[in-house]
Every structure is written in C-alpha cells, then in structure tokens.
C-alpha cells in the first residue's frame, strides 16, 4: 500500500495541535508556581525545577509503555491514548489550586507521547536516508508551528491574571485531536514508501547488521535489549547532551522573569520567537547545515557536539563575574543571552534529528515503536536530572557556572561518539 500524502499531512497537523495545546501553559507555569508557593525567589525556582523533573519521570515511564503500544496496536491507538492523556492533564491543570494538585496534573502526562507517535508513523512511511531526515525535519517544523503560536497566546491570556484559560482551551483542543485521529486510515501502519528502483542500495556494514536483526525476538525486554545493542552509544550521547540542554533550559524562564524583568506577555513572545527561529532552522537550515557538518551522520553528531560545547564555554566566559565582561540585568545582556540560546538551538535541532535518523536506520521497522519509546524515555530521564541539577547549579554559581558545566557535559560525550565510530568501522 503506497503512503498517502494526506495521511502524512494529517500527522503534521496533529503535531501542530499537540504542540499548540502543550505550549499554551508553558510561559505561565513559572508565574503559577510563584502564586501556588506564595513566595518569591529561590523557593519558587526550586519548586519549578521539581515540577519539571516529576513530569519527566512520568514521561520516562510512559514513553516505554507508549513504545510497546505503538508496536503492538499501531500508530492510531497510540495517538488516541496520547490525546486522552493530554486532555486529562490539561483538565486537572485548569482546576489546580495547590502545588500538590499541580504535581497531580502531571500524572496523566506520562502517556503524552504525541511527537513519539508521529516520529514512529513517519519512519513507517518514509525511506531511510536523506528523505527520512527531511521528513523528520518537517515534523519538527510542524511542532514549531504550534510552539510558535502557543506560548504567544498563552502569555497574552495569562497576562490578564487568568492562569487557567490556556489549560481549558488545551483540554478542548486535545479532545478535538482525537476526532482527527479517528479519520486516519486504519492501514496506516502497513503503508510503505514506493521503492525507487534507480536508488543505489547501501551495502555497508550497517545494512548487514540491520538485516540480521530482522529476525525480531519475542517479548518487549528482548526487543529493547536488541535495540540497545544496535544503537546504545547513540542513545547514550542523547542522554548526556540532553541533560546539558535541559539544565540550561530549566533556568531560562527564571532568568527572563527575575533577572531581565519579563512579564507573562513578554515571556510568551520570547518563547514564540525561539520556536519561530527553530522552525526556520528546520525548514531551511537543517539540510545545508547537515551537509556543512560533514553529511555523514556520525560526523554531523560529532561536529554538533563540538560546536555546542564551545558555545556553552563561550557563554560561561561572557557572563563570568571574575572576568566582568557582562552581567545579567540590562537589555544588552538580555539580547546576548537570547542570541546565544538561538544559536545553540540551530545545532541542537540538527543533533537530535541526526541521532534519531541514524538510530531508525539501524533498527528493524517492526521495532520502531520500541526504539522511539526508549529514545523518548531517555530524553525524559535527561529532562528529570537536568532541571534538578540546573536550578541547583544556577542558585549556587549563576549563569556562568551553569554554562561551564553544560560545556563539560558536551565535551564529555565525545569519547562515546568515538567508540561508536570505531565500532562501525571495526
């Protein structure tokens, strides 16, 4: 059965709606936590980090379950479960009146895996190689569209003092998305991309490894073990760099709110601007940047890691109190801080997309759900440790100390990448 362009575009549309609903509340959450803890400064900052980490623990567990659902019951079933979980989380959030209830709202979020489901669907209907990288890039761009509009509207709605209207709209949007999922063709998981007979077949070692793995073992644990044996080093790289990025991201809203004086509307606008830049990067810069960084996925991953590690080190030097170049608090330093974040985002998108595309090319399609579940679980694990470590380091050592640690994490992942490269050519 040939892949349906309409089905692919429906998947992109669902990702837009998924991101839109999720991002409605993101710029408001720091202000909501402030209100719920009835305090300012360190207590609210640490509470926000704990909420983020709790959500990522739930996501880490749920991603593994979602991967099993995708392989066992298909993409449509996974998407329905996802949007039911979304509606549950946003509904509880819309009636939250305590910090405990805010934590409770994150429990249904363990099964929120809309992007995981979409990545699995795309891998089933695209051929590996440049076509899949481009499709995954467009998928991220689709998320960016929702991420662009969501924070802006959420910030505007929250600036009126109503911190729950965005969650109410997100609940309705998630229920609407379930109706769209039901319109997807029932044979979505059986779709294949028409083979290009003129396309040269790859005969390198990766293909032989993948072909020997086509005898898929029975049982989720056996399948997960096989996936880890094939792409473990790539996933380890994603863990280490993910922790670093989550450390930096966890304090961004705090810096914008406390050090740069951003209100709800400005916070939403900045987040929307970052998503807009990310969408532009994925749509127009991903392909040329991948070529510039070496083309081969291992080279792209290594060069992204080197570039981002160096950028974090530069940021640490710029905001070092000892060097006294800049200190947070002025419009100029705010612009520099945001500009560096945007620069890092370009390479972060390329790094994440390259790791995903490379991993999918090494794993049998019948186990793609397990792979993506593991990958998202690992990403959630990074999201659990990142906020806890990031907020603590930021409280003790400021922006400079945090960026220094982030840079060291990136450079520390280089030996793992080297091991992966050597094992490929062994």
């Amino acid at each position: 059965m040939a892949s349906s362009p309409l089905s692919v575009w429906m998947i992109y549309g669902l990702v837009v709606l998924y991101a839109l609903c999720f991002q409605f509340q993101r710029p408001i959450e720091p202000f909501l936590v402030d209100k719920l803890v009835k305090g300012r400064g360190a207590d609210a900052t640490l509470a926000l980090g704990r909420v983020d980490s709790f959500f990522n623990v739930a996501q880490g567990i749920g991603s593994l379950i979602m991967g099993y659902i995708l392989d066992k019951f298909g993409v449509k079933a996974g998407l329905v479960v996802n949007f039911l979980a979304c509606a549950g989380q946003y509904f509880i959030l819309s009636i939250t009146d305590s910090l405990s209830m805010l934590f409770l709202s994150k429990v249904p979020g363990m099964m929120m895996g809309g992007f995981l489901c979409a990545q699995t669907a795309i891998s089933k209907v695209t051929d590996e190689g440049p076509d899949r990288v481009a499709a995954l890039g467009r998928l991220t761009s689709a998320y960016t569209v929702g991420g662009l509009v969501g924070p802006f509207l959420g910030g505007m709605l929250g600036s009126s003092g109503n911190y729950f209207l965005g969650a109410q709209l997100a609940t309705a949007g998630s229920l609407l998305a379930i109706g769209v999922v039901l319109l997807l063709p029932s044979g979505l998981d059986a779709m294949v991309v028409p083979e290009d007979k003129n396309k040269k077949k790859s005969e390198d070692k990766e293909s032989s490894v993948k072909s020997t793995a086509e005898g898929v073992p029975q049982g989720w644990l056996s399948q997960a073990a096989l996936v880890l044996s094939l792409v473990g080093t790539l996933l380890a790289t994603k863990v280490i760099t993910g922790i670093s990025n989550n450390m930096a991201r966890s304090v961004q809203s705090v810096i914008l709110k406390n050090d740069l004086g951003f209100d709800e509307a400005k916070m939403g606008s900045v987040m929307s601007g970052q998503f807009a830049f990310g969408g532009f990067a994925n749509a127009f810069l991903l392909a040329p940047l991948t070529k510039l960084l070496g083309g081969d996925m291992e080279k792209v991953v290594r060069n992204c890691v080197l570039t981002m590690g160096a950028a974090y080190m530069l940021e640490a030097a710029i905001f070092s109190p000892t060097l006294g170049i800049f200190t947070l608090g002025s419009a100029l330093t705010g612009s520099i801080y945001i500009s560096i974040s945007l620069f890092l985002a370009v390479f972060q998108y390329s790094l994440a997309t390259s790791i995903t595309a490379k991993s999918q090319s090494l794993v049998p399609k019948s186990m793609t759900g397990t792979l993506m579940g593991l990958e998202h679980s690992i990403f959630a694990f990074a999201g659990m440790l990142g906020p806890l470590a990031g907020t603590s380091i930021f409280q003790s050592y400021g922006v400079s100390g945090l960026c220094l640690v982030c840079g060291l994490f990136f450079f520390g992942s280089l030996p793992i990448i080297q091991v992966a490269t050597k094992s490929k050519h062994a």
Side-chain angles (χ1 to χ4, degrees):
M1 180 179 181
S3 61
S4 166
L6 177 60
S7 298
V8 174
W9 283 102
M10 287 175 70
I11 292 169
Y12 289 153
L14 286 168
V15 169
V16 171
L17 192 54
Y18 174 73
L20 178 68
C21 294
F22 182 70
Q23 294 296 332
F24 264 143
Q25 196 68 15
R26 295 300 290 172
I28 301 303
E29 199 153 283
F31 300 93
L32 177 60
V33 171
D34 249 0
K35 180 180 178 181
L36 294 177
V37 301
K38 297 180 175 62
R40 307 289 177 183
D43 289 341
T45 300
L46 293 175
L48 181 62
R50 293 189 185 107
V51 169
D52 285 342
S53 292
F54 180 77
F55 176 65
N56 280 290
V57 170
Q59 284 261 287
I61 299 170
S63 293
L64 298 176
I65 301 173
M66 182 62 79
Y68 175 80
I69 290 173
L70 289 169
D71 282 343
K72 185 74 174 179
F73 302 104
V75 172
K76 283 187 68 174
L79 286 169
V80 169
V81 171
N82 162 72
F83 283 112
L84 283 173
C86 290
Q89 171 165 315
Y90 302 141
F91 174 74
I92 298 174
L93 186 58
S94 71
I95 57 174
T96 293
D97 58 3
S98 67
L99 192 61
S100 298
M101 202 164 181
L102 180 61
F103 275 97
L104 179 63
S105 73
K106 305 300 181 183
V107 174
M110 72 181 297
M111 297 309 297
M112 287 174 58
F115 200 71
L116 187 165
C117 295
Q119 284 181 314
T120 303
I122 290 298
S123 72
K124 292 177 181 292
V125 299
T126 58
D127 199 8
E128 64 183 68
D131 290 343
R132 183 171 296 169
V133 172
L136 290 170
R138 288 193 294 271
L139 195 64
T140 305
S141 294
Y143 188 93
T144 301
V145 173
L148 167 64
V149 179
F152 177 77
L153 291 180
M156 295 298 293
L157 293 171
S159 64
S160 66
N162 185 344
Y163 290 167
F164 306 108
L165 182 56
Q168 293 167 355
L169 293 173
T171 303
S174 298
L175 294 175
L176 173 64
I178 295 174
V180 178
V181 172
L182 296 178
L183 296 177
L184 286 168
S186 57
L188 177 65
D189 293 285
M191 289 179 177
V192 295
V193 177
E195 185 179 349
D196 183 355
K197 295 182 179 179
N198 295 321
K199 184 175 180 179
K200 184 179 179 181
K201 299 289 185 179
S202 174
E203 297 180 352
D204 60 12
K205 183 180 177 180
E206 293 165 19
S207 295
S208 63
V209 168
K210 183 178 177 182
S211 64
T212 59
E214 291 293 345
V216 179
Q218 297 299 312
W220 182 86
L221 288 177
S222 297
Q223 292 181 2
L226 176 58
V227 169
L228 290 175
S229 70
L230 294 173
V231 297
T233 51
L234 286 170
L235 296 182
T237 302
K238 199 157 193 173
V239 171
I240 296 172
T241 58
I243 290 174
S244 177
N245 286 326
N246 275 283
M247 283 196 296
R249 190 183 301 115
S250 66
V251 300
Q252 185 182 71
S253 60
V254 176
I255 292 172
L256 295 176
K257 180 171 71 71
N258 294 344
D259 294 285
L260 300 176
F262 281 37
D263 59 16
E264 296 90 339
K266 285 184 178 179
M267 183 85 77
S269 297
V270 169
M271 288 184 175
S272 292
Q274 288 178 318
F275 272 103
F277 185 78
F280 172 80
N282 272 285
F284 301 105
L285 300 182
L286 183 59
L289 184 62
T290 298
K291 184 177 180 180
L292 178 66
L293 291 172
D296 181 75
M297 290 300 132
E298 283 90 352
K299 291 181 180 178
V300 173
V301 171
R302 183 195 63 208
N303 291 333
C304 281
V305 167
L306 284 170
T307 302
M308 294 183 71
Y312 275 121
M313 289 297 189
L314 177 62
E315 189 174 16
I318 289 175
F319 293 109
S320 170
T322 303
L323 296 179
I325 301 174
F326 290 107
T327 55
L328 286 173
S330 68
L332 176 60
T333 53
S335 299
I336 293 172
Y337 175 77
I338 293 172
S339 296
I340 294 175
S341 298
L342 294 177
F343 174 81
L344 286 166
V346 176
F347 292 91
Q348 180 181 338
Y349 284 124
S350 185
L351 174 63
T353 302
S354 298
I355 290 176
T356 298
K358 185 66 177 178
S359 299
Q360 289 181 350
S361 72
L362 294 171
V363 172
K365 280 192 175 184
S366 59
M367 294 171 56
T368 303
T370 299
L371 166 65
M372 299 316 303
L374 283 168
E375 184 173 311
H376 281 257
S377 180
I378 286 171
F379 187 76
F381 173 76
M384 174 191 70
L385 293 181
L388 288 176
T391 51
S392 297
I393 295 171
F394 175 72
Q395 288 287 338
S396 301
Y397 303 104
V399 177
S400 180
L402 177 60
C403 292
L404 176 63
V405 173
C406 290
L408 291 175
F409 264 72
F410 268 85
F411 287 126
S413 70
L414 288 172
I416 297 176
I417 298 173
Q418 188 67 23
V419 168
T421 304
K422 283 183 178 180
S423 64
K424 173 190 171 184
H425 296 291

